[in-house]
Amino acid sequence: MEKQPGSSAHVVAGWEPLVLHEDRYFDPDPTVRRIARELYEEIKDLPIVGPHGHVDPRILAEDTPFPEPTALIIIPDHYVFRMLYSRGIPLEALGIPTRDGGPVETDPRKIWQIFGEHYYLFRGTPTGAWLDYEFYHVFGIRKKLTGETAQAIYDEILEKLSSPEFRPRALFERFNIEVLTTTDAATSELEHHRQIRDSGWKGRVVPCFRPDALFRIAKPEWREELRALERLEGADIVDFPGFIRALERRRQFFKTMGATSTDHAVLEPYTELLPAGEVDALFQKARRGEATEADQRRFEAHMLMEMARMSTEDGLVMQIHPGSFRDHNALIYERFGPDKGADIPITTEYTRNLYNLLNAYGNDPRLTLVLFTLDETTYARELAPLAGHYPAVKLGPAWWFHDSIEGMKRYRERTTETAGIWNTAGFNDDTRAFCSIPARHDLARRVDANYLAGLVARHVVDMSDARVMARALAYDLVKETYKL
C-alpha cells in the first residue's frame, strides 16, 4: 500500500495531536477575522434544518447502534471512497458491495487501516474538513488519523458507538437537528417514515418525492418502475393520463407523511410542453420497451413541466439538480451499481432550457423552484439573473463538488450582487453520511460569516445588517424556502 509522504520524526515516535483552530476558514486579515468570529458566534448554535439529503431513514426508524466505524464513516460515503479509488485502491478492498455479491473485503479493521494510511489524501479538501470535525467534535478524538494511529482511533470510536449517547436518535438530538429531509423514490411506501411517526419519538424526519426513475423511459429498469407504481395503484397504467393521475396521488401521499418538496435529477434542465397525443405516444413506446434516449429527453422535458404544474396545485417545493453525468465509469457501474463516486459535472445551460417552464409558471406565487448547478460559470451569467427576476426561482446552495470552502465563497461572490441573499435557499448538507451533518453545517456557517465579515470590513453593509444576513443564511432562508 502507498504510504503517507513526509512523515515527521514526531509522527514516527508517536502521534500528532488533532487540533481544530477556533478561527479556521476565516480570513487572515485581522479585521475580517474578528468580525467573522463575532458573526459566527451568533449563529453557530442555531438548530440545523436539513431540507435535502440522502440519509437512510431506516437508521432513525430502527435506532439500533451503528455497527462499527468502517460501516459508519467509509462505506456509505462516496466522497471518501472515490478519493481512495482515484489513488488505485480497489473498491473491493474498501468493502463496497458488488452487484453480484462477489467477494470484497469484510474485515472492517483492514479497511480502516487502509483509510488511515491514506488519510493524508484528504488534506485541503472539504471531506478532510468534515472528517476532522467529526472525529474531534462527534467522537472526541484528539490525535490525527494515520496508519500508526488507525487501530487506536478505531477502538476509541467503536467503544463510543456501543453507548446509548451514540445511538442515531440520541445523535440527532445532540446535533440539534430541527428537521431532516430524506430523498425517497416515488414508489416508496415510506415504511421507515411511518415507523418513526408511530414510535412517538419527537424528532422530525420528512420524505422528499423523487420520481426520476419513472421519467427515464429509455432505461431497462423503467418498466419495472412502472409495475411498482401499478402495484401501489392496484391497477394497470395503460396511458399517459393515468400515469399523471398516479403521480398526483403519490405526491399527495408523500404530503400526508410530511413531505414539503420534490427533487428532480436530470442531465439538463430542458423543458417543453408536448401535445397530449405526442407525450402519450412516447409513453406507449416506453411500455413496449422501444423508447430511445432522444425520446427520454423529450419525455423528461415534458415531465418537468408537469411537476411544476403540480407544485402550483399541491404546494410542494420543486428542486432541480441537473448537470451530472452519472455513472461515468461504466466498469464501476456494472460491478458496483450507481452512486459510487463516478459522477462527473458537465456544462449546463439554464436560460433557454427553462424558458418554457418559467414562462408558464415562473410568475406564479404558488411555485417555489430551487435551482442547483455543478457548472459554476452559470452563477453570475444565468442563475443569479433568473433568481433576481422570477418570483418563483430560488438558488440552491453550492452543491456537491462545490460545497467546499472556496466553492461556497465563489457562490456568494458571484450571486449576491444580482440576486441578493433572500433569493437563495439557505444551506443543505446533501449527505448520506449521518455523522457528517453538523460538520457540513458548521463549515457553511463559518464560510458565510467570513463572507459577510468582508462586506462589513469594506463598509458594503454594516454590522447590524450582517447579523440579520448571517442568521438568514444559517437558518431563516431554508425554513422559509422549503416551508419547514
Side-chain angles (χ1 to χ4, degrees):
M1 285 291 176
E2 176 180 295
K3 294 296 183 181
Q4 174 173 331
S7 295
S8 67
H10 182 59
V11 173
V12 173
W15 49 268
E16 280 190 287
L18 175 61
V19 178
L20 299 188
H21 197 283
E22 62 179 8
D23 288 336
R24 62 191 182 277
Y25 321 136
F26 296 159
D27 197 285
D29 178 272
T31 300
V32 176
R33 186 169 63 240
R34 175 184 56 78
I35 299 168
R37 186 187 308 137
E38 185 175 341
L39 291 172
Y40 169 73
E41 285 297 321
E42 294 181 10
I43 63 173
K44 67 184 180 68
D45 295 323
L46 288 172
I48 288 174
V49 177
H52 172 74
H54 302 278
V55 169
D56 186 347
R58 179 194 297 267
I59 293 171
L60 293 158
E62 298 178 351
D63 195 35
T64 55
F66 292 110
E68 47 79 30
T70 296
L72 174 63
I73 294 171
I74 301 173
I75 291 177
D77 195 342
H78 61 71
Y79 283 88
V80 172
F81 59 73
R82 79 184 301 272
M83 176 66 84
L84 299 174
Y85 182 75
S86 78
R87 297 294 292 174
I89 300 170
L91 294 187
E92 291 89 343
L94 300 172
I96 308 304
T98 58
R99 280 182 154 179
D100 61 4
V104 300
E105 181 58 67
T106 58
D107 185 339
R109 286 186 177 274
K110 288 184 179 179
I111 298 168
W112 189 266
Q113 185 64 36
I114 294 171
F115 180 46
E117 290 173 358
H118 295 83
Y119 191 67
Y120 68 91
L121 296 173
F122 299 99
R123 291 173 182 165
T125 71
T127 304
W130 299 328
L131 286 167
D132 282 348
Y133 179 104
E134 194 172 334
F135 291 145
Y136 191 93
H137 286 290
V138 178
F139 295 106
I141 304 300
R142 294 295 183 266
K143 48 183 170 283
K144 288 185 177 181
L145 178 61
T146 65
E148 290 76 16
T149 63
Q151 294 306 312
I153 289 175
Y154 183 96
D155 288 335
E156 196 170 341
I157 296 175
L158 182 65
E159 180 181 2
K160 288 174 178 169
L161 290 178
S162 66
S163 68
E165 293 81 8
F166 284 83
R167 296 273 284 270
R169 292 184 182 181
L171 287 174
F172 186 101
E173 293 164 3
R174 177 179 151 197
F175 294 163
N176 197 20
I177 299 175
E178 184 173 309
V179 58
L180 181 68
T181 304
T182 62
T183 302
D184 308 88
T187 52
S188 172
E189 297 189 52
L190 304 181
E191 62 272 17
H192 300 304
H193 287 275
R194 195 183 305 278
Q195 187 176 346
I196 291 169
R197 175 181 290 189
D198 293 346
S199 72
W201 178 54
K202 300 303 182 185
R204 187 179 176 195
V205 183
V206 301
C208 170
F209 180 80
R210 189 165 190 170
D212 293 347
L214 287 165
F215 297 176
R216 295 171 180 161
I217 59 175
K219 301 298 182 185
E221 304 86 8
W222 182 82
R223 285 193 286 176
E224 179 51 43
E225 291 293 331
L226 181 64
R227 284 191 285 270
L229 184 61
E230 289 174 331
R231 286 192 291 272
L232 292 168
E233 285 287 289
D236 291 343
I237 298 173
V238 299
D239 57 22
F240 185 72
F243 179 69
I244 289 297
R245 289 192 295 271
L247 288 175
E248 289 172 336
R249 283 189 283 267
R250 294 307 297 163
R251 289 170 65 111
Q252 287 301 321
F253 167 66
F254 270 64
K255 282 192 70 175
T256 67
M257 297 300 293
T260 68
S261 62
T262 73
D263 187 29
H264 311 281
V266 290
L267 186 62
E268 57 180 328
Y270 170 53
T271 58
E272 181 184 11
L273 188 64
L274 300 178
E278 190 170 343
V279 71
D280 190 59
L282 292 175
F283 184 77
Q284 299 305 335
K285 283 185 73 174
R287 291 184 70 223
R288 297 191 300 270
E290 300 172 359
T292 65
E293 291 291 337
D295 293 331
Q296 178 176 303
R297 179 176 183 267
R298 300 195 72 213
F299 189 80
E300 286 183 310
H302 181 85
M303 289 309 302
L304 289 179
M305 298 289 287
E306 292 281 5
M307 292 295 104
R309 174 189 62 79
M310 291 182 197
S311 283
T312 65
E313 296 170 0
D314 62 24
L316 291 177
V317 175
M318 181 177 179
Q319 303 173 94
I320 301 180
H321 283 87
S324 176
F325 189 130
R326 295 178 185 269
D327 307 311
H328 190 274
N329 189 330
L331 184 150
I332 291 297
Y333 176 73
E334 290 165 6
R335 180 151 175 75
F336 297 95
D339 303 319
K340 295 299 180 289
D343 302 331
I344 309 297
I346 62 168
T347 302
T348 307
E349 197 278 338
Y350 292 82
T351 304
R352 293 181 177 87
N353 276 328
L354 288 172
Y355 178 83
N356 292 320
L357 188 151
L358 292 176
N359 273 273
Y361 303 108
N363 302 296
D364 193 322
R366 298 174 297 172
L367 176 65
T368 298
L369 175 64
V370 184
L371 299 177
F372 292 80
T373 193
L374 294 175
D375 183 353
E376 291 186 309
T377 68
T378 64
Y379 283 153
R381 185 182 63 246
E382 297 185 66
L383 290 175
L386 287 170
H389 173 74
Y390 282 99
V393 176
K394 298 289 183 286
L395 299 187
W399 169 49
W400 202 342
F401 291 88
H402 307 306
D403 59 351
S404 60
I405 300 165
E406 297 300 325
M408 288 187 281
K409 177 183 176 183
R410 289 191 296 268
Y411 170 82
R412 293 285 173 222
E413 290 174 342
R414 296 175 188 179
T415 63
T416 301
E417 288 185 316
T418 301
I421 70 162
W422 274 271
N423 283 315
T424 64
F427 179 71
N428 69 63
D429 50 74
D430 188 36
T431 186
R432 289 174 170 80
F434 178 65
C435 287
S436 74
I437 290 174
R440 292 167 187 251
H441 284 262
D442 182 74
L443 190 150
R445 291 174 181 187
R446 286 176 176 273
V447 172
D448 281 339
N450 192 71
Y451 170 73
L452 294 172
L455 297 185
V456 174
R458 297 195 305 277
H459 306 290
V460 178
V461 301
D462 63 25
M463 194 62 178
S464 64
D465 288 338
R467 288 191 173 99
V468 173
M469 296 168 78
R471 179 186 168 90
L473 291 172
Y475 182 73
D476 296 334
L477 287 172
V478 67
K479 289 195 69 173
E480 174 188 326
T481 300
Y482 285 90
K483 306 176 183 180
L484 293 167

